[in-house]
Coordinates of all heavy atoms in Angstrom, one line a residue:
M12 N 0.8 -1.2 0.0 CA 0.0 0.0 0.0 C 0.9 1.2 0.0 O 1.8 1.3 0.7 CB -0.9 0.0 1.3 CG -2.1 0.9 1.2 SD -2.8 1.0 2.8 CE -3.1 -0.7 3.2
R13 N 0.5 2.2 -0.9 CA 1.4 3.3 -1.1 C 0.6 4.6 -0.7 O -0.5 4.7 -1.1 CB 1.7 3.3 -2.6 CG 2.8 4.2 -3.1 CD 3.4 3.6 -4.4 NE 2.4 3.5 -5.5 CZ 2.1 4.5 -6.3 NH1 2.5 5.7 -6.0 NH2 1.2 4.3 -7.3
A14 N 1.2 5.5 0.0 CA 0.6 6.7 0.4 C 0.8 7.8 -0.7 O 1.8 7.7 -1.5 CB 1.1 7.3 1.7
G15 N -0.2 8.7 -0.9 CA 0.0 9.7 -1.9 C -0.9 10.9 -1.6 O -1.5 11.0 -0.5
T16 N -1.1 11.7 -2.6 CA -1.9 12.9 -2.4 C -2.7 13.0 -3.7 O -2.2 12.8 -4.8 CB -1.0 14.2 -2.3 OG1 -0.1 14.0 -1.2 CG2 -1.9 15.4 -2.0
C17 N -4.0 13.3 -3.5 CA -4.9 13.5 -4.7 C -4.4 14.7 -5.4 O -4.3 15.8 -4.9 CB -6.3 13.7 -4.2 SG -7.5 14.0 -5.6
K18 N -4.2 14.5 -6.7 CA -3.8 15.7 -7.6 C -4.9 16.7 -7.7 O -4.6 17.8 -8.0 CB -3.3 15.2 -8.9 CG -2.1 14.3 -8.9 CD -1.4 14.2 -10.3 CE -0.1 13.5 -10.2 NZ -0.4 12.0 -10.4
S19 N -6.1 16.3 -7.6 CA -7.2 17.2 -7.8 C -7.5 18.1 -6.5 O -7.7 19.3 -6.6 CB -8.5 16.5 -8.1 OG -8.3 15.7 -9.3
C20 N -7.6 17.5 -5.4 CA -8.1 18.2 -4.2 C -7.0 18.3 -3.1 O -7.2 18.9 -2.1 CB -9.4 17.6 -3.7 SG -9.2 16.0 -2.8
G21 N -5.9 17.5 -3.2 CA -4.8 17.6 -2.2 C -5.0 16.7 -1.0 O -4.3 16.8 -0.1
A22 N -6.1 15.9 -1.0 CA -6.4 15.1 0.2 C -5.3 13.9 0.2 O -4.8 13.5 -0.8 CB -7.8 14.4 0.0
A23 N -5.1 13.5 1.5 CA -4.2 12.3 1.7 C -4.9 11.1 1.2 O -6.1 10.8 1.6 CB -3.8 12.2 3.2
I24 N -4.3 10.3 0.4 CA -4.9 9.1 -0.1 C -3.9 7.9 0.0 O -2.7 8.2 0.2 CB -5.4 9.2 -1.6 CG1 -4.2 9.6 -2.5 CG2 -6.5 10.2 -1.7 CD1 -4.6 9.6 -4.0
V25 N -4.4 6.7 -0.1 CA -3.5 5.5 -0.2 C -3.9 4.8 -1.5 O -5.1 4.8 -1.9 CB -3.7 4.6 1.0 CG1 -3.1 5.2 2.2 CG2 -5.1 4.2 1.2
W26 N -3.0 4.2 -2.1 CA -3.2 3.4 -3.3 C -3.2 1.9 -2.9 O -2.3 1.4 -2.4 CB -2.1 3.6 -4.3 CG -2.1 4.9 -4.9 CD1 -1.4 6.0 -4.4 CD2 -2.7 5.4 -6.1 NE1 -1.7 7.1 -5.2 CE2 -2.5 6.8 -6.2 CE3 -3.5 4.7 -7.0 CZ2 -3.0 7.5 -7.3 CZ3 -4.0 5.5 -8.1 CH2 -3.7 6.8 -8.2
I27 N -4.4 1.3 -3.1 CA -4.6 -0.1 -2.7 C -4.5 -1.0 -3.9 O -5.3 -0.9 -4.8 CB -5.9 -0.4 -2.0 CG1 -6.2 0.7 -1.0 CG2 -6.0 -1.8 -1.4 CD1 -6.1 0.4 0.4
P28 N -3.5 -1.9 -3.9 CA -3.4 -2.8 -5.1 C -4.5 -3.8 -5.2 O -4.9 -4.3 -4.2 CB -2.1 -3.6 -4.9 CG -1.4 -2.9 -3.7 CD -2.5 -2.2 -2.9
T29 N -5.1 -3.9 -6.3 CA -6.2 -4.9 -6.5 C -5.7 -6.2 -7.1 O -4.6 -6.2 -7.7 CB -7.3 -4.3 -7.4 OG1 -6.8 -4.2 -8.7 CG2 -7.8 -2.9 -7.0
P30 N -6.5 -7.3 -7.0 CA -6.1 -8.5 -7.6 C -5.9 -8.4 -9.1 O -5.1 -9.2 -9.7 CB -7.3 -9.5 -7.3 CG -7.9 -8.9 -6.1 CD -7.8 -7.4 -6.2
G31 N -6.5 -7.5 -9.8 CA -6.4 -7.3 -11.2 C -5.1 -6.6 -11.6 O -4.9 -6.4 -12.8
G32 N -4.3 -6.2 -10.6 CA -3.0 -5.6 -10.9 C -3.1 -4.0 -11.0 O -2.0 -3.4 -11.3
K33 N -4.2 -3.4 -10.7 CA -4.3 -2.0 -10.7 C -4.2 -1.5 -9.3 O -4.1 -2.3 -8.3 CB -5.6 -1.5 -11.3 CG -5.7 -1.9 -12.8 CD -6.7 -1.1 -13.5 CE -6.7 -1.4 -15.0 NZ -7.7 -0.8 -15.7
A34 N -4.2 -0.2 -9.1 CA -4.2 0.3 -7.7 C -5.4 1.3 -7.7 O -5.6 2.1 -8.6 CB -2.9 1.0 -7.4
M35 N -6.1 1.2 -6.6 CA -7.3 2.1 -6.4 C -6.9 3.2 -5.4 O -6.4 3.0 -4.3 CB -8.4 1.3 -5.7 CG -9.0 0.3 -6.6 SD -10.5 1.0 -7.5 CE -11.6 1.3 -6.1
P36 N -7.1 4.5 -5.8 CA -6.9 5.6 -4.9 C -8.0 5.6 -3.9 O -9.2 5.7 -4.2 CB -6.9 6.8 -5.8 CG -7.6 6.4 -7.0 CD -7.6 5.0 -7.1
C37 N -7.7 5.6 -2.6 CA -8.7 5.6 -1.5 C -8.4 6.6 -0.5 O -7.2 7.0 -0.3 CB -8.8 4.2 -0.9 SG -9.3 2.9 -2.0
D38 N -9.4 7.0 0.3 CA -9.1 7.9 1.4 C -8.2 7.3 2.4 O -8.3 6.1 2.6 CB -10.4 8.3 2.1 CG -11.3 9.2 1.3 OD1 -10.9 9.6 0.2 OD2 -12.4 9.6 1.8
A39 N -7.2 8.0 2.9 CA -6.2 7.5 3.8 C -6.7 6.9 5.1 O -6.2 6.0 5.6 CB -5.1 8.5 4.0
A40 N -7.8 7.5 5.6 CA -8.4 7.0 6.8 C -9.2 5.8 6.6 O -10.2 5.8 5.8 CB -9.2 8.2 7.5
P41 N -8.9 4.7 7.3 CA -9.8 3.5 7.2 C -11.2 3.8 7.7 O -11.4 4.6 8.6 CB -9.1 2.5 8.1 CG -7.8 3.0 8.5 CD -7.9 4.5 8.3
A42 N -12.2 3.0 7.2 CA -13.6 3.2 7.6 C -14.1 1.8 8.0 O -13.8 0.8 7.4 CB -14.4 3.9 6.5
Y43 N -15.1 1.8 9.0 CA -15.8 0.6 9.2 C -16.9 0.4 8.2 O -17.5 1.4 7.8 CB -16.5 0.7 10.6 CG -15.5 0.7 11.8 CD1 -15.3 1.8 12.6 CD2 -14.8 -0.5 12.0 CE1 -14.4 1.7 13.6 CE2 -13.9 -0.5 13.1 CZ -13.7 0.6 13.9 OH -12.8 0.6 14.9
Y44 N -17.1 -0.8 7.8 CA -18.2 -1.1 6.9 C -19.0 -2.3 7.3 O -18.5 -3.2 8.0 CB -17.6 -1.3 5.4 CG -16.8 -2.5 5.3 CD1 -17.4 -3.7 4.8 CD2 -15.5 -2.6 5.6 CE1 -16.7 -4.9 4.6 CE2 -14.7 -3.7 5.4 CZ -15.3 -4.9 5.0 OH -14.6 -6.0 4.8
I45 N -20.2 -2.4 6.8 CA -21.0 -3.6 6.9 C -21.2 -4.1 5.5 O -21.8 -3.4 4.7 CB -22.4 -3.2 7.5 CG1 -22.2 -2.5 8.9 CG2 -23.3 -4.5 7.7 CD1 -23.5 -2.0 9.5
A46 N -20.7 -5.3 5.2 CA -20.8 -5.9 3.9 C -22.3 -6.2 3.6 O -23.0 -6.8 4.3 CB -20.0 -7.2 3.8
K47 N -22.8 -5.7 2.4 CA -24.1 -6.0 1.9 C -24.0 -6.2 0.4 O -24.3 -5.4 -0.4 CB -25.0 -4.7 2.2 CG -25.2 -4.5 3.7 CD -26.4 -3.5 3.9 CE -26.6 -3.5 5.4 NZ -27.7 -2.5 5.7
P48 N -23.7 -7.5 0.1 CA -23.4 -7.8 -1.3 C -24.5 -7.5 -2.3 O -24.3 -7.1 -3.4 CB -23.1 -9.3 -1.3 CG -22.8 -9.6 0.1 CD -23.5 -8.6 1.0
K49 N -25.8 -7.6 -1.8 CA -26.9 -7.4 -2.7 C -27.5 -6.0 -2.6 O -27.9 -5.4 -3.6 CB -28.0 -8.4 -2.5 CG -27.5 -9.7 -2.9 CD -28.6 -10.8 -2.9 CE -28.0 -12.1 -3.3 NZ -28.5 -13.2 -2.5
S50 N -27.5 -5.4 -1.4 CA -28.2 -4.1 -1.3 C -27.3 -2.9 -1.0 O -27.8 -1.8 -0.9 CB -29.3 -4.3 -0.1 OG -28.6 -4.6 1.1
G51 N -26.0 -3.2 -0.8 CA -25.2 -2.0 -0.4 C -25.1 -1.0 -1.5 O -24.9 -1.3 -2.7
S52 N -25.2 0.3 -1.1 CA -25.2 1.4 -2.1 C -23.8 2.0 -2.1 O -23.5 2.8 -3.0 CB -26.3 2.4 -1.8 OG -26.0 3.0 -0.5
K53 N -23.0 1.7 -1.2 CA -21.6 2.2 -1.1 C -20.6 1.2 -1.5 O -20.9 0.0 -1.6 CB -21.3 2.7 0.3 CG -22.4 3.7 0.8 CD -22.2 5.1 0.2 CE -22.8 6.2 1.0 NZ -24.3 6.1 1.1
R54 N -19.4 1.6 -1.7 CA -18.3 0.7 -2.1 C -17.2 0.9 -1.1 O -16.9 2.0 -0.6 CB -17.8 1.0 -3.5 CG -18.8 0.7 -4.6 CD -19.1 -0.8 -4.7 NE -20.1 -1.0 -5.8 CZ -21.4 -1.0 -5.6 NH1 -21.9 -0.8 -4.4 NH2 -22.2 -1.3 -6.6
I55 N -16.6 -0.3 -0.7 CA -15.4 -0.2 0.2 C -14.3 -1.1 -0.5 O -14.6 -2.1 -1.2 CB -15.8 -0.8 1.6 CG1 -14.7 -0.4 2.6 CG2 -16.0 -2.3 1.6 CD1 -15.0 1.0 3.3
V56 N -13.1 -0.7 -0.3 CA -12.0 -1.5 -0.8 C -11.3 -2.1 0.4 O -10.9 -1.4 1.3 CB -10.9 -0.6 -1.6 CG1 -9.8 -1.5 -2.2 CG2 -11.6 0.1 -2.7
T57 N -11.3 -3.4 0.4 CA -10.7 -4.1 1.6 C -9.1 -4.0 1.5 O -8.6 -3.7 0.4 CB -11.0 -5.6 1.6 OG1 -10.4 -6.3 0.5 CG2 -12.5 -5.8 1.5
P58 N -8.4 -4.3 2.6 CA -7.0 -4.2 2.5 C -6.4 -5.2 1.5 O -5.3 -5.0 1.0 CB -6.5 -4.6 3.9 CG -7.7 -4.1 4.8 CD -8.9 -4.4 4.0
N59 N -7.2 -6.2 1.1 CA -6.7 -7.2 0.0 C -6.9 -6.6 -1.4 O -6.6 -7.3 -2.4 CB -7.5 -8.5 0.1 CG -7.4 -9.2 1.4 OD1 -6.5 -8.9 2.1 ND2 -8.4 -10.0 1.7
G60 N -7.6 -5.5 -1.5 CA -7.9 -4.9 -2.8 C -9.2 -5.3 -3.4 O -9.5 -5.0 -4.6
E61 N -10.0 -6.0 -2.6 CA -11.4 -6.4 -3.1 C -12.3 -5.2 -3.0 O -12.3 -4.5 -1.9 CB -11.9 -7.6 -2.3 CG -11.3 -8.9 -2.7 CD -11.9 -10.0 -1.8 OE1 -11.5 -10.1 -0.7 OE2 -12.7 -10.7 -2.3
V62 N -13.2 -5.0 -4.0 CA -14.2 -4.0 -3.9 C -15.5 -4.6 -3.5 O -16.0 -5.5 -4.2 CB -14.3 -3.2 -5.2 CG1 -15.3 -2.1 -5.1 CG2 -12.9 -2.6 -5.6
L63 N -16.1 -4.2 -2.4 CA -17.3 -4.8 -1.9 C -18.5 -3.8 -1.8 O -18.2 -2.6 -1.6 CB -17.1 -5.3 -0.5 CG -16.0 -6.3 -0.2 CD1 -16.0 -6.7 1.2 CD2 -16.2 -7.6 -1.1
A64 N -19.7 -4.2 -2.1 CA -20.9 -3.4 -1.9 C -21.1 -3.4 -0.4 O -21.1 -4.5 0.3 CB -22.1 -3.9 -2.6
C65 N -21.5 -2.3 0.2 CA -21.6 -2.2 1.7 C -22.3 -1.0 2.0 O -22.8 -0.2 1.2 CB -20.2 -2.1 2.3 SG -19.3 -0.6 1.9
E66 N -22.5 -0.8 3.3 CA -22.9 0.5 3.9 C -21.8 0.9 4.9 O -21.2 0.0 5.5 CB -24.2 0.4 4.6 CG -25.4 0.0 3.8 CD -25.7 1.1 2.7 OE1 -25.3 2.2 2.9 OE2 -26.4 0.7 1.7
Y67 N -21.5 2.1 5.1 CA -20.5 2.6 6.0 C -21.2 2.6 7.4 O -22.4 2.8 7.5 CB -20.0 3.9 5.7 CG -19.4 4.0 4.3 CD1 -19.6 5.1 3.5 CD2 -18.6 3.0 3.8 CE1 -19.1 5.2 2.2 CE2 -18.1 3.0 2.5 CZ -18.3 4.2 1.7 OH -17.8 4.2 0.4
T68 N -20.4 2.5 8.5 CA -20.9 2.6 9.8 C -19.8 3.2 10.7 O -18.6 3.1 10.4 CB -21.3 1.2 10.4 OG1 -21.8 1.4 11.7 CG2 -20.2 0.2 10.4
E69 N -20.2 3.8 11.8 CA -19.3 4.3 12.8 C -19.2 3.3 13.9 O -18.4 3.5 14.8 CB -19.8 5.6 13.3 CG -20.2 6.6 12.3 CD -19.2 7.7 12.1 OE1 -19.0 8.4 13.1 OE2 -18.6 7.8 11.0
D70 N -20.0 2.3 13.9 CA -20.1 1.4 15.1 C -19.2 0.1 14.9 O -19.6 -0.8 14.1 CB -21.5 1.0 15.3 CG -21.7 0.1 16.5 OD1 -20.7 -0.3 17.1 OD2 -22.9 -0.1 16.9
P71 N -18.1 0.0 15.5 CA -17.2 -1.2 15.3 C -17.8 -2.5 15.7 O -17.4 -3.5 15.1 CB -16.0 -0.9 16.3 CG -16.3 0.3 17.0 CD -17.6 0.9 16.5
H72 N -18.9 -2.5 16.5 CA -19.5 -3.7 16.9 C -20.4 -4.3 15.8 O -20.7 -5.5 15.7 CB -20.3 -3.5 18.2 CG -19.4 -3.1 19.3 ND1 -18.5 -3.9 19.9 CD2 -19.3 -1.9 20.0 CE1 -17.8 -3.3 20.9 NE2 -18.3 -2.1 20.9
R73 N -20.9 -3.4 15.0 CA -21.8 -3.9 13.9 C -21.0 -4.1 12.6 O -21.5 -4.7 11.6 CB -22.9 -2.8 13.6 CG -23.9 -2.7 14.7 CD -24.9 -1.6 14.4 NE -25.6 -1.8 13.2 CZ -25.9 -0.9 12.3 NH1 -25.6 0.4 12.5 NH2 -26.6 -1.2 11.2
A74 N -19.8 -3.6 12.6 CA -19.0 -3.6 11.3 C -18.5 -5.0 10.9 O -18.2 -5.8 11.8 CB -17.8 -2.7 11.5
T75 N -18.5 -5.3 9.6 CA -17.9 -6.5 9.1 C -16.4 -6.4 9.2 O -15.7 -7.4 9.4 CB -18.3 -6.7 7.6 OG1 -19.7 -6.6 7.5 CG2 -17.9 -8.0 7.1
G76 N -15.9 -5.2 9.0 CA -14.4 -5.1 9.1 C -14.1 -3.6 8.7 O -15.0 -2.8 8.7
T77 N -12.8 -3.4 8.6 CA -12.4 -2.0 8.1 C -11.8 -2.1 6.7 O -11.2 -3.1 6.3 CB -11.3 -1.4 9.1 OG1 -10.2 -2.4 9.1 CG2 -11.8 -1.2 10.5
G78 N -12.1 -1.1 6.0 CA -11.6 -1.0 4.6 C -11.3 0.5 4.3 O -11.3 1.3 5.2
F79 N -11.2 0.7 3.0 CA -10.9 2.1 2.6 C -12.0 2.6 1.6 O -12.3 1.8 0.7 CB -9.5 2.1 2.0 CG -8.4 1.8 3.0 CD1 -8.0 0.5 3.2 CD2 -7.9 2.9 3.7 CE1 -7.1 0.2 4.2 CE2 -6.9 2.6 4.7 CZ -6.5 1.3 4.9
I80 N -12.4 3.8 1.8 CA -13.4 4.3 0.9 C -12.8 4.8 -0.4 O -11.8 5.6 -0.3 CB -14.2 5.5 1.6 CG1 -14.8 5.0 2.9 CG2 -15.2 6.2 0.7 CD1 -15.4 6.1 3.8
P81 N -13.2 4.4 -1.6 CA -12.6 4.9 -2.8 C -12.6 6.4 -2.9 O -13.7 7.0 -2.6 CB -13.5 4.3 -3.9 CG -14.2 3.1 -3.3 CD -14.3 3.5 -1.8
H82 N -11.5 7.0 -3.2 CA -11.4 8.5 -3.1 C -12.4 9.1 -4.1 O -12.9 10.2 -3.9 CB -10.0 8.9 -3.4 CG -9.9 10.4 -3.2 ND1 -10.2 11.1 -2.0 CD2 -9.6 11.4 -4.1 CE1 -10.0 12.4 -2.2 NE2 -9.7 12.6 -3.4
W83 N -12.7 8.5 -5.2 CA -13.6 9.1 -6.2 C -15.0 9.3 -5.6 O -15.8 10.1 -6.1 CB -13.7 8.4 -7.5 CG -13.8 6.9 -7.5 CD1 -12.7 6.1 -7.8 CD2 -14.9 6.1 -7.2 NE1 -13.2 4.8 -7.7 CE2 -14.5 4.8 -7.3 CE3 -16.2 6.4 -6.8 CZ2 -15.3 3.7 -7.0 CZ3 -17.1 5.3 -6.6 CH2 -16.6 4.0 -6.7
A84 N -15.3 8.6 -4.5 CA -16.6 8.7 -3.9 C -16.7 10.0 -3.0 O -17.8 10.5 -2.7 CB -16.9 7.5 -3.0
T85 N -15.5 10.4 -2.5 CA -15.5 11.6 -1.6 C -14.8 12.8 -2.2 O -14.9 13.9 -1.6 CB -14.8 11.2 -0.3 OG1 -13.4 10.9 -0.6 CG2 -15.5 10.0 0.4
C86 N -14.1 12.7 -3.3 CA -13.3 13.8 -3.8 C -14.2 14.9 -4.3 O -15.1 14.6 -5.1 CB -12.4 13.3 -5.0 SG -11.3 14.6 -5.6
P87 N -14.0 16.1 -3.8 CA -14.8 17.2 -4.3 C -14.6 17.5 -5.8 O -15.3 18.2 -6.4 CB -14.4 18.4 -3.4 CG -13.1 18.0 -2.8 CD -13.1 16.5 -2.8
Q88 N -13.5 17.0 -6.3 CA -13.1 17.2 -7.7 C -13.3 15.9 -8.5 O -12.6 15.7 -9.5 CB -11.6 17.6 -7.9 CG -11.2 18.8 -7.0 CD -11.8 20.1 -7.5 OE1 -12.2 20.2 -8.6 NE2 -11.8 21.1 -6.6
A89 N -14.3 15.1 -8.1 CA -14.4 13.8 -8.8 C -14.6 13.8 -10.3 O -14.2 12.9 -11.0 CB -15.6 13.0 -8.1
D90 N -15.2 14.9 -10.8 CA -15.4 15.0 -12.2 C -14.1 14.9 -13.0 O -14.0 14.3 -14.0 CB -16.0 16.4 -12.5 CG -17.5 16.4 -12.2 OD1 -18.0 15.3 -11.9 OD2 -18.1 17.4 -12.3
R91 N -13.1 15.5 -12.4 CA -11.7 15.4 -13.0 C -11.2 14.0 -13.1 O -10.5 13.7 -14.1 CB -10.7 16.3 -12.3 CG -11.0 17.8 -12.5 CD -9.8 18.6 -12.0 NE -10.3 19.9 -11.6 CZ -9.5 20.7 -11.0 NH1 -8.3 20.4 -10.7 NH2 -10.0 21.9 -10.6
H92 N -11.5 13.2 -12.1 CA -11.0 11.8 -12.1 C -11.6 11.1 -13.3 O -11.0 10.3 -13.9 CB -11.5 11.1 -10.9 CG -10.7 11.5 -9.7 ND1 -9.6 10.8 -9.3 CD2 -10.9 12.4 -8.8 CE1 -9.2 11.4 -8.1 NE2 -10.0 12.4 -7.8
R93 N -12.9 11.4 -13.7 CA -13.5 10.8 -14.8 C -12.9 11.2 -16.1 O -12.8 10.5 -17.1 CB -15.0 11.0 -14.8 CG -15.7 9.8 -14.1 CD -17.2 10.1 -14.0 NE -17.6 10.1 -12.6 CZ -18.2 11.0 -11.9 NH1 -18.6 12.1 -12.5 NH2 -18.6 10.9 -10.7
R94 N -12.6 12.5 -16.2 CA -12.2 13.1 -17.5 C -10.8 12.7 -17.8 O -10.4 12.5 -18.9 CB -12.3 14.6 -17.5 CG -13.6 15.0 -18.2 CD -13.7 16.5 -18.2 NE -14.8 16.9 -17.4 CZ -14.8 17.9 -16.5 NH1 -13.6 18.6 -16.3 NH2 -15.8 18.3 -15.8
R95 N -9.9 12.6 -16.8 CA -8.5 12.4 -17.0 C -8.2 10.9 -17.1 O -8.6 10.1 -16.3 CB -7.6 13.0 -15.9 CG -7.6 14.5 -16.0 CD -6.7 15.0 -14.9 NE -5.4 14.4 -14.9 CZ -4.4 14.8 -14.2 NH1 -4.5 15.8 -13.4 NH2 -3.2 14.2 -14.2
K96 N -7.5 10.5 -18.2 CA -7.2 9.1 -18.3 C -5.9 8.7 -17.7 O -5.7 7.6 -17.2 CB -7.2 8.7 -19.8 CG -8.6 8.8 -20.4 CD -8.9 7.6 -21.2 CE -10.4 7.5 -21.5 NZ -10.7 7.4 -22.9
N97 N -5.0 9.6 -17.7 CA -3.6 9.4 -17.2 C -3.4 10.2 -15.9 O -3.0 11.4 -16.0 CB -2.5 9.7 -18.2 CG -2.8 8.9 -19.5 OD1 -3.0 7.7 -19.4 ND2 -2.7 9.6 -20.6
G98 N -3.8 9.7 -14.8 CA -3.7 10.5 -13.6 C -2.6 10.0 -12.8 O -2.4 10.1 -11.6
Ligands
LIG125 ZN1 -9.5 14.4 -4.5

């Protein structure tokens, strides 16, 4: 896992390697999530690089585990992520 900075908004991010060989830019702060494979409206990247459908939670007792929120979900400049191919 590699630390970095979002080129669009300057936020601290981490690059999580995925099984497909790419790296996902995610918010640096880990988040608790509840896995909901069928109904989850949010996405979480696990430390293994798997992307799961989930809901976020603040309650460690209800959480399935901790993961990282994809930065494009929280970046105020997310439009730029979509437009730029080589970031
Ligand atoms: Zn950003």
